[in-house]
Structure formats: C-alpha cells, structure tokens
Coordinates of all heavy atoms in Angstrom, one line a residue:
M271 N -3.8 -22.5 37.9 CA -2.8 -21.5 38.0 C -3.3 -20.3 38.8 O -4.4 -20.1 38.8 CB -2.3 -21.0 36.6 CG -1.7 -22.1 35.8 SD -1.1 -21.3 34.3 CE -1.5 -22.6 33.1
E272 N -2.4 -19.7 39.5 CA -2.8 -18.5 40.2 C -1.7 -17.5 40.4 O -0.6 -17.8 40.2 CB -3.2 -19.1 41.7 CG -2.1 -19.6 42.4 CD -2.4 -20.1 43.7 OE1 -2.3 -19.2 44.7 OE2 -2.8 -21.2 43.9
T273 N -2.1 -16.3 40.7 CA -1.2 -15.2 41.0 C -1.7 -14.5 42.2 O -2.9 -14.4 42.4 CB -0.9 -14.3 39.9 OG1 -2.2 -13.6 39.6 CG2 -0.4 -14.9 38.6
P274 N -0.9 -14.0 43.1 CA -1.4 -13.3 44.2 C -2.0 -12.0 43.8 O -1.7 -11.4 42.8 CB -0.1 -12.9 45.1 CG 1.0 -13.7 44.4 CD 0.6 -14.1 43.0
G275 N -3.0 -11.5 44.6 CA -3.7 -10.3 44.3 C -2.8 -9.1 44.6 O -1.7 -9.2 45.1
Q276 N -3.3 -7.9 44.3 CA -2.5 -6.7 44.5 C -2.6 -6.2 45.9 O -3.4 -6.7 46.7 CB -3.1 -5.5 43.6 CG -3.1 -5.9 42.2 CD -3.9 -4.9 41.3 OE1 -4.5 -4.0 41.9 NE2 -3.8 -4.9 40.1
H277 N -1.7 -5.4 46.4 CA -1.7 -4.9 47.7 C -2.8 -3.9 47.8 O -3.2 -3.2 46.9 CB -0.3 -4.2 48.1 CG 0.8 -5.2 48.0 ND1 1.0 -6.1 49.0 CD2 1.7 -5.5 47.0 CE1 2.1 -6.9 48.7 NE2 2.5 -6.5 47.5
G278 N -3.3 -3.6 49.1 CA -4.3 -2.6 49.3 C -5.6 -3.3 49.9 O -5.5 -4.3 50.4
A279 N -6.6 -2.6 49.6 CA -8.0 -3.0 50.1 C -9.0 -2.7 49.1 O -8.9 -1.8 48.4 CB -8.3 -2.4 51.5
T280 N -10.1 -3.5 49.2 CA -11.2 -3.3 48.3 C -12.1 -2.2 48.9 O -11.8 -1.8 50.0 CB -12.1 -4.6 48.2 OG1 -12.6 -4.9 49.4 CG2 -11.3 -5.8 47.6
S281 N -13.1 -1.8 48.2 CA -14.1 -0.7 48.7 C -14.8 -1.1 50.0 O -15.2 -0.2 50.7 CB -15.0 -0.4 47.6 OG -15.8 -1.6 47.3
N282 N -14.9 -2.4 50.2 CA -15.5 -2.8 51.5 C -14.5 -3.2 52.5 O -14.8 -3.8 53.6 CB -16.5 -4.0 51.3 CG -15.9 -5.2 50.8 OD1 -14.7 -5.3 50.6 ND2 -16.7 -6.3 50.5
G283 N -13.2 -2.9 52.3 CA -12.2 -3.0 53.3 C -11.5 -4.4 53.4 O -10.6 -4.6 54.2
E284 N -11.8 -5.4 52.5 CA -11.2 -6.6 52.5 C -9.7 -6.4 51.9 O -9.5 -5.7 50.9 CB -11.9 -7.6 51.6 CG -13.3 -7.9 52.3 CD -14.2 -8.8 51.4 OE1 -14.0 -8.8 50.1 OE2 -15.0 -9.5 51.8
S285 N -8.8 -7.1 52.4 CA -7.4 -7.1 51.9 C -7.3 -7.9 50.6 O -7.7 -9.0 50.5 CB -6.4 -7.7 52.9 OG -5.2 -7.8 52.4
L286 N -6.7 -7.2 49.6 CA -6.4 -7.9 48.4 C -5.3 -8.9 48.4 O -5.0 -9.6 47.5 CB -6.2 -6.8 47.2 CG -7.4 -6.1 46.8 CD1 -7.0 -5.0 45.8 CD2 -8.6 -6.9 46.4
L287 N -4.5 -8.8 49.5 CA -3.4 -9.8 49.8 C -4.0 -11.2 49.8 O -3.3 -12.2 49.6 CB -2.6 -9.4 51.0 CG -1.9 -8.1 50.9 CD1 -1.3 -7.9 52.3 CD2 -0.8 -8.1 49.9
N288 N -5.3 -11.3 50.2 CA -5.9 -12.6 50.3 C -6.6 -13.1 49.0 O -7.3 -14.1 49.0 CB -6.9 -12.6 51.5 CG -6.2 -12.5 52.8 OD1 -5.0 -12.7 52.9 ND2 -6.9 -11.9 53.8
E289 N -6.5 -12.3 47.9 CA -7.1 -12.6 46.7 C -6.2 -13.2 45.7 O -5.0 -12.7 45.5 CB -7.7 -11.4 46.2 CG -8.7 -11.6 45.0 CD -9.3 -10.2 44.6 OE1 -8.7 -9.4 44.1 OE2 -10.5 -10.2 44.8
V290 N -6.6 -14.3 45.1 CA -5.8 -15.0 44.1 C -6.4 -15.0 42.8 O -7.7 -15.0 42.7 CB -5.3 -16.5 44.4 CG1 -4.4 -16.5 45.7 CG2 -6.6 -17.3 44.7
S291 N -5.6 -14.8 41.7 CA -6.2 -14.9 40.4 C -6.1 -16.3 39.9 O -5.1 -16.9 40.0 CB -5.4 -13.9 39.5 OG -5.5 -12.6 39.9
V292 N -7.2 -16.7 39.2 CA -7.2 -18.1 38.5 C -6.9 -17.7 37.1 O -7.7 -17.0 36.4 CB -8.6 -18.8 38.7 CG1 -8.6 -20.1 38.0 CG2 -8.8 -18.9 40.2
L293 N -5.8 -18.4 36.5 CA -5.4 -18.2 35.2 C -5.9 -19.3 34.2 O -5.9 -20.4 34.6 CB -3.9 -18.0 35.2 CG -3.3 -17.0 36.0 CD1 -1.8 -16.9 35.9 CD2 -3.9 -15.6 35.8
A294 N -6.0 -18.9 32.9 CA -6.3 -19.9 31.9 C -5.0 -20.7 31.7 O -4.0 -20.2 31.8 CB -6.7 -19.3 30.7
P295 N -5.2 -22.0 31.4 CA -4.0 -22.8 31.2 C -3.4 -22.5 29.8 O -4.0 -21.8 29.0 CB -4.6 -24.3 31.1 CG -6.0 -24.1 30.7 CD -6.4 -22.8 31.3
E296 N -2.2 -23.0 29.5 CA -1.6 -22.9 28.2 C -2.5 -23.6 27.2 O -2.7 -24.7 27.4 CB -0.2 -23.4 28.2 CG 0.6 -23.2 26.9 CD 0.9 -21.7 26.8 OE1 1.2 -20.9 27.7 OE2 1.0 -21.3 25.6
L297 N -2.9 -22.9 26.2 CA -3.8 -23.5 25.2 C -3.0 -23.8 23.9 O -2.5 -23.0 23.2 CB -4.9 -22.5 24.9 CG -5.8 -22.0 26.0 CD1 -6.6 -20.8 25.7 CD2 -6.6 -23.2 26.5
A298 N -2.9 -25.1 23.6 CA -2.1 -25.6 22.5 C -3.1 -25.7 21.3 O -3.3 -26.8 20.8 CB -1.5 -26.9 22.8
T299 N -3.7 -24.6 20.9 CA -4.6 -24.6 19.7 C -3.9 -23.7 18.7 O -3.1 -22.9 19.0 CB -6.0 -24.1 20.0 OG1 -5.8 -22.7 20.4 CG2 -6.6 -24.9 21.2
G300 N -4.4 -23.9 17.4 CA -3.8 -23.1 16.4 C -4.0 -21.6 16.6 O -3.1 -20.8 16.3
S301 N -5.1 -21.2 17.2 CA -5.4 -19.8 17.4 C -4.9 -19.4 18.8 O -4.8 -18.2 19.1 CB -6.9 -19.5 17.3 OG -7.6 -20.2 18.4
G302 N -4.6 -20.3 19.7 CA -4.2 -20.0 21.1 C -5.3 -19.4 21.9 O -5.0 -18.8 22.9
S303 N -6.5 -19.7 21.5 CA -7.6 -19.1 22.3 C -8.7 -20.1 22.6 O -8.7 -21.2 22.0 CB -8.3 -17.9 21.5 OG -8.9 -18.4 20.3
A304 N -9.6 -19.8 23.5 CA -10.7 -20.6 23.9 C -11.9 -19.8 24.2 O -11.7 -18.6 24.4 CB -10.3 -21.5 25.1
R305 N -13.1 -20.4 24.3 CA -14.3 -19.6 24.6 C -14.7 -20.1 26.0 O -14.7 -21.3 26.3 CB -15.4 -19.9 23.6 CG -16.7 -19.2 23.8 CD -17.6 -19.3 22.7 NE -18.0 -20.7 22.3 CZ -18.9 -21.4 23.0 NH1 -19.6 -20.9 24.0 NH2 -19.1 -22.6 22.6
V306 N -15.2 -19.2 26.8 CA -15.7 -19.5 28.1 C -17.1 -20.1 27.9 O -18.0 -19.4 27.3 CB -15.8 -18.3 29.1 CG1 -16.4 -18.7 30.4 CG2 -14.4 -17.7 29.3
G307 N -17.3 -21.4 28.2 CA -18.6 -22.0 28.0 C -19.6 -21.6 29.0 O -20.6 -21.1 28.7
C308 N -19.4 -22.0 30.3 CA -20.2 -21.6 31.3 C -19.5 -21.6 32.7 O -18.4 -22.2 32.8 CB -21.4 -22.5 31.4 SG -21.0 -24.2 31.9
W309 N -20.1 -20.8 33.6 CA -19.6 -20.7 34.9 C -20.4 -21.6 35.8 O -21.7 -21.6 35.7 CB -19.6 -19.3 35.4 CG -18.5 -18.5 34.9 CD1 -18.6 -17.7 33.7 CD2 -17.2 -18.3 35.4 NE1 -17.4 -17.1 33.4 CE2 -16.5 -17.4 34.5 CE3 -16.6 -18.8 36.5 CZ2 -15.2 -17.1 34.7 CZ3 -15.3 -18.4 36.7 CH2 -14.5 -17.6 35.8
F310 N -19.8 -22.3 36.7 CA -20.5 -23.2 37.6 C -20.7 -22.5 39.0 O -21.4 -23.1 39.9 CB -19.8 -24.5 37.9 CG -19.6 -25.3 36.6 CD1 -18.2 -25.6 36.2 CD2 -20.6 -25.7 35.7 CE1 -18.0 -26.2 35.0 CE2 -20.4 -26.4 34.6 CZ -19.1 -26.7 34.2
A311 N -20.1 -21.3 39.2 CA -20.3 -20.6 40.4 C -20.5 -19.1 40.0 O -20.2 -18.7 38.9 CB -19.0 -20.6 41.2
E312 N -21.1 -18.4 40.8 CA -21.4 -16.9 40.7 C -20.6 -16.1 41.8 O -20.2 -16.6 42.7 CB -22.8 -16.7 40.9 CG -23.7 -17.4 40.0 CD -25.2 -17.0 40.2 OE1 -25.6 -16.2 41.0 OE2 -26.0 -17.6 39.5
V313 N -20.4 -14.8 41.4 CA -19.7 -13.9 42.3 C -20.4 -14.0 43.7 O -21.6 -13.9 43.8 CB -19.6 -12.5 41.7 CG1 -19.1 -11.5 42.8 CG2 -18.7 -12.4 40.5
G314 N -19.6 -14.1 44.7 CA -20.1 -14.2 46.1 C -20.2 -15.6 46.6 O -20.4 -15.9 47.8
D315 N -20.2 -16.6 45.7 CA -20.3 -18.0 46.1 C -19.1 -18.5 46.8 O -18.0 -18.1 46.4 CB -20.5 -19.0 44.9 CG -21.9 -18.8 44.3 OD1 -22.8 -18.2 44.8 OD2 -22.2 -19.5 43.3
E316 N -19.3 -19.3 47.8 CA -18.2 -20.0 48.4 C -17.7 -21.1 47.5 O -18.6 -21.9 47.0 CB -18.5 -20.5 49.8 CG -18.8 -19.5 50.8 CD -17.6 -18.6 51.2 OE1 -16.5 -19.2 51.3 OE2 -17.8 -17.4 51.3
V317 N -16.5 -21.3 47.3 CA -15.9 -22.3 46.4 C -15.0 -23.1 47.1 O -14.3 -22.7 48.1 CB -15.3 -21.8 45.1 CG1 -16.3 -21.1 44.2 CG2 -14.1 -20.9 45.5
I318 N -14.9 -24.4 46.8 CA -14.0 -25.4 47.6 C -12.9 -25.8 46.6 O -13.1 -26.1 45.4 CB -14.8 -26.6 48.0 CG1 -15.9 -26.2 49.0 CG2 -13.9 -27.6 48.6 CD1 -16.9 -27.3 49.3
A319 N -11.6 -25.8 47.1 CA -10.5 -26.2 46.3 C -10.8 -27.6 45.6 O -11.3 -28.5 46.2 CB -9.3 -26.3 47.1
G320 N -10.5 -27.6 44.3 CA -10.7 -28.8 43.5 C -12.0 -28.9 42.8 O -12.2 -29.9 42.0
T321 N -13.0 -28.1 43.1 CA -14.2 -28.1 42.5 C -14.3 -27.2 41.2 O -13.5 -26.3 41.1 CB -15.4 -27.7 43.4 OG1 -15.2 -26.4 43.7 CG2 -15.6 -28.6 44.6
S322 N -15.1 -27.6 40.2 CA -15.1 -27.0 39.0 C -15.7 -25.5 39.1 O -16.7 -25.4 39.6 CB -15.9 -27.7 37.9 OG -15.2 -29.0 37.7
L323 N -15.0 -24.6 38.5 CA -15.4 -23.2 38.5 C -16.1 -22.8 37.2 O -17.1 -22.1 37.2 CB -14.3 -22.2 38.7 CG -13.6 -22.1 40.1 CD1 -12.3 -21.3 40.0 CD2 -14.6 -21.6 41.1
L324 N -15.5 -23.3 36.1 CA -16.0 -22.9 34.8 C -15.5 -23.9 33.7 O -14.7 -24.8 34.0 CB -15.4 -21.5 34.3 CG -14.0 -21.4 34.0 CD1 -13.8 -20.4 32.9 CD2 -13.1 -21.1 35.2
E325 N -16.1 -23.8 32.6 CA -15.8 -24.7 31.4 C -15.2 -23.7 30.3 O -15.8 -22.7 30.1 CB -17.1 -25.3 30.9 CG -16.9 -26.2 29.7 CD -18.3 -26.7 29.2 OE1 -19.1 -25.9 28.8 OE2 -18.5 -27.9 29.3
L326 N -14.1 -24.2 29.8 CA -13.5 -23.6 28.7 C -13.7 -24.5 27.4 O -13.5 -25.7 27.6 CB -11.9 -23.4 28.8 CG -11.5 -22.3 29.8 CD1 -10.0 -22.2 29.9 CD2 -12.2 -20.9 29.5
I327 N -14.0 -23.9 26.3 CA -14.2 -24.7 25.0 C -13.2 -24.3 24.0 O -13.1 -23.1 23.7 CB -15.6 -24.5 24.5 CG1 -16.6 -24.9 25.6 CG2 -15.8 -25.3 23.2 CD1 -18.0 -24.5 25.3
V328 N -12.4 -25.3 23.5 CA -11.5 -25.2 22.4 C -12.1 -26.2 21.4 O -12.8 -27.1 21.7 CB -10.1 -25.4 22.7 CG1 -9.5 -24.3 23.7 CG2 -9.8 -26.8 23.3
P329 N -11.8 -26.0 20.1 CA -12.4 -26.9 19.1 C -12.2 -28.4 19.5 O -11.0 -28.8 19.6 CB -11.6 -26.6 17.8 CG -11.3 -25.1 18.0 CD -11.1 -24.9 19.5
G330 N -13.3 -29.1 19.7 CA -13.2 -30.5 20.0 C -12.9 -30.9 21.4 O -12.9 -32.0 21.8
I331 N -12.7 -29.9 22.3 CA -12.3 -30.2 23.7 C -13.1 -29.2 24.7 O -13.2 -28.0 24.4 CB -10.8 -30.0 23.9 CG1 -10.0 -30.9 23.0 CG2 -10.5 -30.2 25.4 CD1 -8.5 -30.7 23.1
R332 N -13.6 -29.8 25.7 CA -14.2 -29.0 26.8 C -13.3 -29.2 28.1 O -13.1 -30.3 28.5 CB -15.6 -29.5 27.1 CG -16.5 -29.1 26.0 CD -18.0 -29.6 26.3 NE -18.9 -29.3 25.3 CZ -19.6 -28.2 25.0 NH1 -19.5 -27.3 26.0 NH2 -20.4 -28.1 24.0
L333 N -12.8 -28.1 28.6 CA -12.0 -28.2 29.8 C -12.6 -27.6 31.0 O -13.2 -26.5 30.9 CB -10.7 -27.4 29.6 CG -9.8 -27.7 28.4 CD1 -8.8 -26.6 28.2 CD2 -9.0 -29.0 28.7
E334 N -12.7 -28.3 32.1 CA -13.2 -27.7 33.4 C -12.0 -27.2 34.2 O -11.0 -27.9 34.4 CB -14.0 -28.8 34.1 CG -15.3 -29.1 33.4 CD -16.2 -29.9 34.4 OE1 -15.9 -30.2 35.5 OE2 -17.3 -30.2 33.9
I335 N -12.1 -26.0 34.6 CA -11.0 -25.4 35.4 C -11.5 -25.4 36.8 O -12.6 -24.9 37.2 CB -10.9 -23.9 34.9 CG1 -10.6 -23.8 33.5 CG2 -9.8 -23.2 35.7 CD1 -9.3 -24.5 33.0
D336 N -10.7 -26.0 37.7 CA -11.0 -26.1 39.0 C -10.5 -25.0 39.9 O -9.5 -24.3 39.6 CB -10.3 -27.4 39.7 CG -11.0 -28.7 39.0 OD1 -12.0 -28.6 38.5 OD2 -10.2 -29.7 39.1
A337 N -11.1 -24.8 41.1 CA -10.6 -23.8 42.0 C -9.4 -24.2 42.7 O -9.3 -25.4 43.2 CB -11.6 -23.6 43.1
P338 N -8.3 -23.4 42.6 CA -7.0 -23.8 43.3 C -7.0 -23.7 44.7 O -6.2 -24.3 45.4 CB -6.0 -22.8 42.6 CG -6.8 -21.6 42.3 CD -8.2 -22.1 41.9
H339 N -8.0 -22.9 45.3 CA -8.1 -22.7 46.7 C -9.6 -22.6 47.1 O -10.4 -22.2 46.3 CB -7.5 -21.4 47.1 CG -6.0 -21.4 46.9 ND1 -5.0 -22.0 47.7 CD2 -5.2 -20.8 45.9 CE1 -3.8 -21.8 47.2 NE2 -4.0 -21.1 46.1
S340 N -9.8 -22.8 48.4 CA -11.2 -22.5 48.9 C -11.2 -21.1 49.2 O -10.3 -20.5 49.5 CB -11.5 -23.4 50.1 OG -11.4 -24.8 49.8
G341 N -12.5 -20.6 49.1 CA -12.7 -19.1 49.4 C -14.0 -18.7 48.8 O -14.8 -19.5 48.5
R342 N -14.1 -17.4 48.5 CA -15.2 -16.8 48.0 C -14.9 -16.2 46.6 O -14.0 -15.5 46.4 CB -15.8 -15.6 48.9 CG -17.1 -15.0 48.4 CD -17.7 -14.0 49.3 NE -16.7 -13.2 50.1 CZ -16.1 -12.1 49.6 NH1 -16.4 -11.7 48.4 NH2 -15.2 -11.4 50.3
L343 N -15.7 -16.6 45.6 CA -15.5 -16.0 44.2 C -15.8 -14.5 44.3 O -16.9 -14.2 44.5 CB -16.4 -16.7 43.3 CG -16.2 -16.4 41.7 CD1 -14.8 -16.8 41.3 CD2 -17.2 -17.2 40.9
S344 N -14.8 -13.8 44.1 CA -14.9 -12.3 44.3 C -15.1 -11.6 43.0 O -15.6 -10.4 43.0 CB -13.7 -11.7 45.1 OG -12.5 -12.0 44.4
R345 N -14.6 -12.2 41.9 CA -14.8 -11.5 40.6 C -14.6 -12.4 39.4 O -13.8 -13.3 39.5 CB -13.7 -10.4 40.5 CG -13.9 -9.5 39.2 CD -12.9 -8.5 39.0 NE -12.4 -7.8 40.3 CZ -11.3 -7.0 40.3 NH1 -10.7 -6.6 39.2 NH2 -11.0 -6.5 41.5
I346 N -15.5 -12.3 38.4 CA -15.4 -13.0 37.2 C -14.9 -12.0 36.2 O -15.5 -11.0 36.0 CB -16.8 -13.6 36.8 CG1 -17.1 -14.8 37.8 CG2 -16.7 -14.1 35.4 CD1 -18.5 -15.4 37.5
E347 N -13.8 -12.4 35.5 CA -13.2 -11.4 34.6 C -13.7 -11.6 33.2 O -13.7 -10.6 32.4 CB -11.7 -11.5 34.6 CG -11.0 -11.2 36.0 CD -11.0 -9.8 36.3 OE1 -11.3 -9.0 35.4 OE2 -10.7 -9.5 37.5
H348 N -14.2 -12.8 32.9 CA -14.7 -13.1 31.5 C -15.9 -13.8 31.5 O -15.9 -15.1 32.0 CB -13.6 -13.9 30.7 CG -12.3 -13.1 30.5 ND1 -12.1 -12.1 29.6 CD2 -11.1 -13.2 31.2 CE1 -10.9 -11.7 29.7 NE2 -10.3 -12.3 30.6
P349 N -17.0 -13.3 31.2 CA -18.3 -14.0 31.3 C -18.5 -15.1 30.2 O -17.7 -15.1 29.3 CB -19.4 -12.8 31.1 CG -18.7 -11.8 30.3 CD -17.2 -11.9 30.7
A350 N -19.5 -15.9 30.4 CA -19.7 -17.0 29.4 C -19.9 -16.4 28.0 O -20.4 -15.3 27.8 CB -21.0 -17.7 29.8
G351 N -19.2 -17.1 27.0 CA -19.2 -16.6 25.7 C -18.0 -15.7 25.3 O -17.8 -15.5 24.1
S352 N -17.3 -15.3 26.3 CA -16.0 -14.5 26.0 C -14.9 -15.4 25.4 O -14.9 -16.6 25.7 CB -15.5 -13.9 27.3 OG -16.4 -13.1 27.8
T353 N -14.1 -14.8 24.6 CA -12.9 -15.5 24.0 C -11.7 -15.1 24.8 O -11.5 -13.8 25.1 CB -12.7 -15.1 22.5 OG1 -13.9 -15.6 21.8 CG2 -11.5 -15.9 22.0
I354 N -10.9 -16.0 25.3 CA -9.8 -15.7 26.1 C -8.5 -16.4 25.5 O -8.6 -17.3 24.7 CB -9.9 -16.1 27.6 CG1 -10.3 -17.7 27.7 CG2 -11.1 -15.4 28.2 CD1 -9.2 -18.5 28.0
G355 N -7.4 -15.9 25.9 CA -6.1 -16.5 25.4 C -5.4 -17.2 26.6 O -5.8 -17.1 27.8
S356 N -4.3 -17.9 26.3 CA -3.5 -18.6 27.4 C -3.1 -17.5 28.4 O -2.7 -16.4 28.1 CB -2.2 -19.1 26.7 OG -2.6 -20.1 25.7
G357 N -3.2 -18.0 29.7 CA -2.7 -17.1 30.8 C -3.6 -16.0 31.2 O -3.3 -15.3 32.1
A358 N -4.8 -15.9 30.5 CA -5.8 -14.8 30.9 C -6.3 -15.0 32.3 O -6.4 -16.1 32.7 CB -6.9 -14.9 29.9
V359 N -6.5 -14.0 33.0 CA -7.1 -14.0 34.4 C -8.5 -14.3 34.2 O -9.3 -13.5 33.5 CB -6.9 -12.7 35.1 CG1 -7.6 -12.8 36.5 CG2 -5.4 -12.5 35.3
L360 N -9.0 -15.4 34.7 CA -10.4 -15.9 34.5 C -11.3 -15.3 35.6 O -12.4 -14.8 35.4 CB -10.5 -17.4 34.4 CG -9.7 -18.1 33.4 CD1 -9.6 -19.5 33.5 CD2 -10.4 -17.8 32.0
C361 N -10.8 -15.4 36.8 CA -11.6 -14.9 38.0 C -10.6 -14.7 39.2 O -9.5 -15.0 39.1 CB -12.7 -15.9 38.3 SG -12.1 -17.5 38.9
R362 N -11.2 -14.2 40.2 CA -10.4 -14.0 41.5 C -11.2 -14.6 42.6 O -12.4 -14.5 42.7 CB -10.2 -12.5 41.7 CG -9.4 -11.9 40.6 CD -9.1 -10.4 40.8 NE -8.7 -9.8 39.6 CZ -7.4 -9.7 39.1 NH1 -6.5 -10.4 39.8 NH2 -7.2 -9.1 38.0
I363 N -10.4 -15.2 43.5 CA -11.0 -15.9 44.7 C -10.3 -15.2 45.9 O -9.2 -15.1 46.1 CB -10.6 -17.4 44.7 CG1 -11.3 -18.1 43.5 CG2 -11.1 -18.1 46.1 CD1 -10.9 -19.5 43.4
F364 N -11.2 -14.8 46.8 CA -10.8 -14.2 48.1 C -10.7 -15.3 49.1 O -11.6 -16.0 49.4 CB -11.9 -13.1 48.6 CG -11.4 -12.5 49.8 CD1 -10.5 -11.5 49.8 CD2 -12.0 -12.8 51.0 CE1 -10.1 -10.8 51.0 CE2 -11.7 -12.2 52.2 CZ -10.6 -11.2 52.2
R365 N -9.5 -15.5 49.6 CA -9.2 -16.4 50.7 C -9.3 -15.8 52.0 O -8.4 -15.1 52.4 CB -7.8 -17.0 50.4 CG -7.7 -17.8 49.1 CD -6.4 -18.2 48.8 NE -5.9 -19.1 49.8 CZ -4.6 -19.5 50.1 NH1 -3.7 -19.1 49.2 NH2 -4.3 -20.3 51.0
E366 N -10.4 -16.0 52.7 CA -10.6 -15.3 54.0 C -9.7 -15.8 55.1 O -9.3 -14.9 55.9 CB -12.1 -15.6 54.4 CG -13.0 -14.9 53.5 CD -14.4 -15.2 53.7 OE1 -14.7 -15.7 54.9 OE2 -15.2 -14.9 52.9
N367 N -9.1 -16.9 55.1 CA -8.2 -17.4 56.1 C -6.9 -17.8 55.5 O -6.4 -18.9 55.7 CB -8.7 -18.5 57.0 CG -10.0 -18.2 57.7 OD1 -9.9 -17.0 58.3 ND2 -11.0 -19.0 57.7
S368 N -6.3 -16.9 54.7 CA -5.1 -17.3 53.9 C -3.8 -17.5 54.8 O -2.9 -18.1 54.3 CB -4.8 -16.2 52.8 OG -4.4 -15.0 53.5
A369 N -3.9 -17.1 56.0 CA -2.8 -17.3 56.9 C -2.7 -18.8 57.3 O -1.6 -19.3 57.7 CB -2.9 -16.5 58.2
Q370 N -3.8 -19.5 57.2 CA -3.8 -20.9 57.5 C -3.7 -21.7 56.2 O -4.3 -21.3 55.1 CB -5.1 -21.3 58.2 CG -5.2 -20.6 59.5 CD -6.6 -20.9 60.1 OE1 -7.4 -21.7 59.7 NE2 -6.8 -20.3 61.3
P371 N -3.0 -22.9 56.1 CA -2.9 -23.7 54.9 C -4.4 -24.1 54.5 O -5.1 -24.4 55.4 CB -2.0 -24.8 55.3 CG -1.7 -24.7 56.7 CD -2.3 -23.4 57.3
D372 N -4.5 -24.3 53.2 CA -5.8 -24.8 52.6 C -5.9 -26.3 53.1 O -5.0 -27.1 52.9 CB -5.7 -24.6 51.1 CG -7.1 -24.8 50.5 OD1 -7.9 -25.7 51.1 OD2 -7.4 -24.1 49.6
S373 N -7.0 -26.6 53.7 CA -7.2 -28.0 54.2 C -7.2 -29.0 53.0 O -6.9 -30.2 53.4 CB -8.5 -28.1 55.0 OG -9.6 -27.8 54.1
S374 N -7.4 -28.6 51.8 CA -7.3 -29.6 50.7 C -6.0 -29.7 50.1 O -5.7 -30.5 49.3 CB -8.3 -29.1 49.6 OG -7.8 -27.9 49.1
D375 N -5.0 -28.9 50.7 CA -3.6 -29.0 50.2 C -2.9 -30.3 50.7 O -2.9 -30.4 51.9 CB -2.8 -27.7 50.6 CG -1.5 -27.6 50.0 OD1 -1.1 -28.6 49.2 OD2 -0.8 -26.6 50.2
P376 N -2.5 -31.2 49.9 CA -1.9 -32.4 50.4 C -0.6 -32.3 51.0 O 0.0 -33.2 51.6 CB -1.8 -33.3 49.1 CG -1.7 -32.3 48.0 CD -2.5 -31.1 48.5
S377 N 0.1 -31.1 51.0 CA 1.5 -31.0 51.5 C 1.4 -30.8 53.0 O 0.5 -30.4 53.6 CB 2.2 -29.9 50.8 OG 1.5 -28.7 50.8

C-alpha cells in the first residue's frame, strides 16, 4: 500500500512529490497490531519494486512487506521492535524518476 508524499521540498531540495509512503496492511488480529521484526534495507539504500523491505510479526505469522516502487529508502518511521497498527506508515521511498513508469509495473 502507498500514499503520495506531501507537497514541498526536503532540506536537501528533493521534491516530496516523488516520495511514497509504504503502509502496513490490514491486520486481522485480535489486537489489530503487529511488531516490526527487522528491516532488510537501511535509509539511503536503493530498493527495487517487489523486494522485501521489512518483516512484520503477528502471533504465529511473519509477513514480509515488499517495496511497491523502486527508489531510495528515504525514511523509516518505525524501527525494529516497534508495535504498529493497521495502515501505519512504515517507511517512505523517494522515487527519483517518478515521471517515468516503474519498469517492474506489469501494466
């Protein structure tokens, strides 16, 4: 899941219009929460659409959350060990060439 970034620019001049938020999926657990197990990427890493970004842990289940787009991991909102709820913003990916379609997009 993703949402567009806010309008404006970051402190280093990058446009936030090219930043997408990666959201936690709907969690069908009694508590509606999960724990961030580990991150497979660090801030500043280039990520490729479809590769695993992080692991979420709910009782009895480990979910790997994939990158919805290729780009650079610009922010991690919840470090390993954090408890998050459904729809929480997990991280943000800066898409440097967002004017061009993602090459991994099958459409």
